[in-house]
Amino acid sequence: MTNIPEHFQINSQGHLEVSGCDTVELAKKFGTPLYVLDETRIRQNCRDYVAGLAEAYPETQVCYAGKAFLCRAICCLVEQEGLGLDVVSGGELFTALKAGFPPEKIYFHGNNKSREELALALENGVGYLVVDGLYELELLRELLGGTGKRQRVLLRLAPGVEAHTHVYIQTGQEDSKFGLAINGGQALRAVKTVLESPYLELAGFHAHIGSQIFDLTSYEVAAGILGRFMVEVRRETGFIAKVLNLGGGLGIRYTREDKPLPVREAAKRTGQMVREVFAALDYPWPKLVLEPGRSIVGDAGVTLYTIGNIKTIPGIRRYVMVDGGMADNPRVALYQAVYEAVVANKAGRPAGEVVTVAGKACESGDILIRDIPLAAPEPGDILAVFATGAYTYSMASNYNRLPRPAVVLAANGQGELIVARETYEQIVANDLLPPRFCGKGVREAVEG
Ligand code: LLP
């Protein structure tokens, strides 16, 4: 039995292939650890979202949530597919601007945007600021009041919906740091403040209920709560929202236990549900925005590692150690995430031996996969871990001063670097060595 996801192939040499690229060759050419993203799959996911949603709903916009994985090439790719972009920090915004992403298609999120981040967004004509809290409204008054400029905003709401997912990635529940609470009147007060501010234009509302969600009824419930709030706002103020942004969150297949709906189907059903909710409320359909991150890039990614040390503890466990781990994929340590993998150069062989894949970080918790059957792993083999396109590179660290791996985009038999591997020189680039410290490094620094 093979656990290879359907969009990967095994070539005549028995090697794992991604979009026509032999992963063993990619590992040889670019080194390991290496993140490989299947460009064909990313584009397909984008198209499925756009088409599925458009089939079911009058006016739609799909935005890619850059926090899942952002670099300039990805900005350009999703832009080519007609997507907007969700950014959540000055760094993400800067990346998008550097890539030439159209600012009017950017939604700027964040529960504690700084004055500098807001200024960067305002200077560059970001399409929508998603205001998350009263303090942000205060900062916007300081930045925009009296300038004669006007900024379009959405208000982020906390709908009080608990999506069925890991507690660290639930976001819509009432006890959350995100969003203006509908219950208790905070959200309504924020609406009134924005409507009274000549420098702000209220376009509508946003909510994001969580991540890795399989049960779409959570979206229906959230849309219902937001819809009823919008009806209340109309009654109180006369304001009719033009935009409803329901965030991201659709789950992907990490293991064979995960059975997500195909993206196109999920997008279509979400569109249908929202359409029905607003029809029942007799409220004009707002433009529906979705912001998927994981379900655009997650299943398109595979991380390649080289197997090194193997430690067998008789009768207990066999540790197969790879040249990366929690520094390039902290999701296992953070969320108890479960991954599947194959030995890429033995992908055609049966996976018989149950082993534990451990990373190289100086930490017992640096385990990538517990108890996975692999095909006779040996030092020098290439291990391919699936579904690592989202929240891996973007959450990677330099723990143990490990350089961050490179990222390659694979399409039609060609692998192209889109993020270079970090170097040791880059690792020390920000270190400063004041002259009072002794040692060789000082002498070099002093002598220039
Ligand atoms: N929109 C907003 C406002 C969000 O906060 C998020 C994710 C998304 C969209 C995209 O959600 P997605 O479609 O990717 O589920 N680091 C965690 C996930 C954190 C998600 C945070 N917000 C993980 O590795 O599972």
Side-chain angles (χ1 to χ4, degrees):
M1 185 171 64
T2 164
N3 58 3
I4 296 176
E6 61 193 12
H7 55 285
F8 289 84
Q9 303 84 40
I10 299 174
N11 68 17
S12 55
Q13 292 176 75
H15 294 178
L16 181 73
E17 245 184 37
V18 50
S19 198
C21 296
D22 183 322
T23 53
V24 181
E25 294 302 319
L26 290 177
K28 224 181 268 168
K29 182 165 176 195
F30 298 103
T32 58
L34 183 70
Y35 301 102
V36 182
L37 289 171
D38 178 344
E39 179 176 342
T40 319
R41 183 73 180 185
I42 298 177
R43 289 192 187 276
Q44 193 58 51
N45 288 337
C46 292
R47 288 170 198 179
D48 285 348
Y49 259 109
V50 171
L53 206 54
E55 259 173 73
Y57 199 87
E59 198 193 351
T60 58
Q61 173 71 62
V62 180
C63 292
Y64 169 60
K67 69 209 78 176
F69 168 66
L70 202 68
C71 66
R72 289 188 296 160
I74 287 297
C75 291
C76 299
L77 192 161
V78 298
E79 209 266 312
Q80 286 174 350
E81 295 300 330
L83 272 61
L85 191 67
D86 144 2
V87 299
V88 75
S89 69
E92 288 188 0
L93 175 58
F94 186 79
T95 306
L97 295 171
K98 278 278 178 188
F101 199 90
E104 66 277 8
K105 289 177 80 178
I106 297 180
Y107 289 70
F108 188 16
H109 291 269
N111 61 302
N112 188 23
K113 302 179 194 74
S114 68
R115 186 189 306 267
E116 291 72 24
E117 287 175 321
L118 288 170
L120 184 70
L122 297 172
E123 269 160 34
N124 287 284
V126 157
Y128 297 86
L129 280 183
V130 186
V131 171
D132 190 334
L134 303 174
Y135 177 64
E136 189 173 339
L137 288 177
E138 198 49 40
L139 289 177
L140 288 173
R141 188 176 56 80
E142 289 171 24
L143 287 164
L144 282 170
T147 60
K149 286 191 190 160
R150 204 149 186 252
Q151 174 63 42
R152 216 181 295 141
V153 300
L154 299 182
L155 287 177
R156 176 162 186 166
L157 304 176
V161 176
E162 292 188 30
H164 296 232
T165 185
H166 191 287
V167 65
Y168 283 9
I169 49 181
Q170 285 178 354
T171 36
Q173 73 274 22
E174 216 169 331
D175 182 4
S176 163
K177 70 171 181 170
F178 295 105
L180 297 146
I182 295 179
N183 297 339
Q186 193 185 45
L188 185 61
R189 278 198 300 282
V191 169
K192 289 180 179 164
T193 307
V194 174
L195 290 176
E196 284 160 11
S197 311
Y199 47 87
L200 296 178
E201 177 194 332
L202 184 60
F205 301 99
H206 164 85
H208 170 79
I209 53 174
S211 211
Q212 188 58 1
I213 295 168
F214 292 111
D215 180 0
L216 296 184
T217 51
S218 301
Y219 292 99
E220 191 173 14
V221 174
I225 294 170
L226 264 62
R228 284 190 291 281
F229 174 71
M230 285 151 74
V231 169
E232 185 193 344
V233 167
R234 178 174 62 182
R235 195 177 52 235
E236 292 272 328
T237 67
F239 172 76
I240 296 175
K242 291 191 205 68
V243 178
L244 174 68
N245 180 332
L246 277 185
L250 183 65
I252 64 160
R253 177 197 189 276
Y254 281 100
T255 72
R256 69 194 78 188
E257 324 264 278
D258 300 326
K259 303 203 163 45
L261 276 179
V263 164
R264 186 167 177 151
E265 186 60 29
K268 185 175 163 186
R269 284 203 204 172
T270 307
Q272 280 165 343
M273 287 183 317
V274 176
R275 197 183 163 121
E276 281 160 24
V277 163
F278 282 88
L281 289 169
D282 196 21
Y283 194 96
W285 285 304
K287 171 159 127 178
L288 177 58
V289 183
L290 292 186
E291 292 171 338
R294 191 191 315 268
S295 48
I296 296 285
V297 290
D299 67 3
V302 59
T303 308
L304 306 178
Y305 300 97
T306 302
I307 294 173
N309 190 16
I310 296 180
K311 172 179 174 177
T312 307
I313 311 171
I316 298 185
R317 187 178 293 281
R318 194 154 194 228
Y319 285 99
V320 169
M321 304 185 212
V322 294
D323 53 355
M326 67 189 295
D328 60 80
N329 184 356
R331 298 195 68 260
V332 181
L334 272 177
Y335 318 117
Q336 299 87 43
V338 181
Y339 287 91
E340 287 181 346
V342 295
V343 177
N345 50 311
K346 299 171 181 168
R349 296 199 215 162
E353 205 174 331
V354 175
V355 301
T356 285
V357 178
K360 68 177 280 146
C362 194
E363 182 136 339
S364 297
D366 182 19
I367 300 294
L368 269 183
I369 310 175
R370 255 171 240 282
D371 300 328
I372 177 167
L374 290 179
E378 293 165 289
D381 282 347
I382 301 298
L383 187 79
V385 178
F386 296 110
T388 57
Y391 303 110
T392 52
Y393 182 81
S394 65
M395 296 179 79
S397 75
N398 288 124
Y399 184 45
N400 292 171
R401 296 231 137 183
L402 295 172
R404 268 178 275 246
V407 186
V408 161
L409 206 53
N412 308 319
Q414 295 291 324
E416 248 177 324
L417 267 185
I418 55 168
V419 182
R421 184 177 303 280
E422 254 176 348
T423 62
Y424 287 144
E425 284 301 330
Q426 287 171 323
I427 296 242
V428 294
N430 291 328
D431 292 4
L432 300 172
L433 208 48
R436 69 176 180 283
F437 293 108
C438 44
K440 185 163 164 272
V442 177
R443 252 174 271 128
E444 276 172 5
V446 171
E447 288 158 15

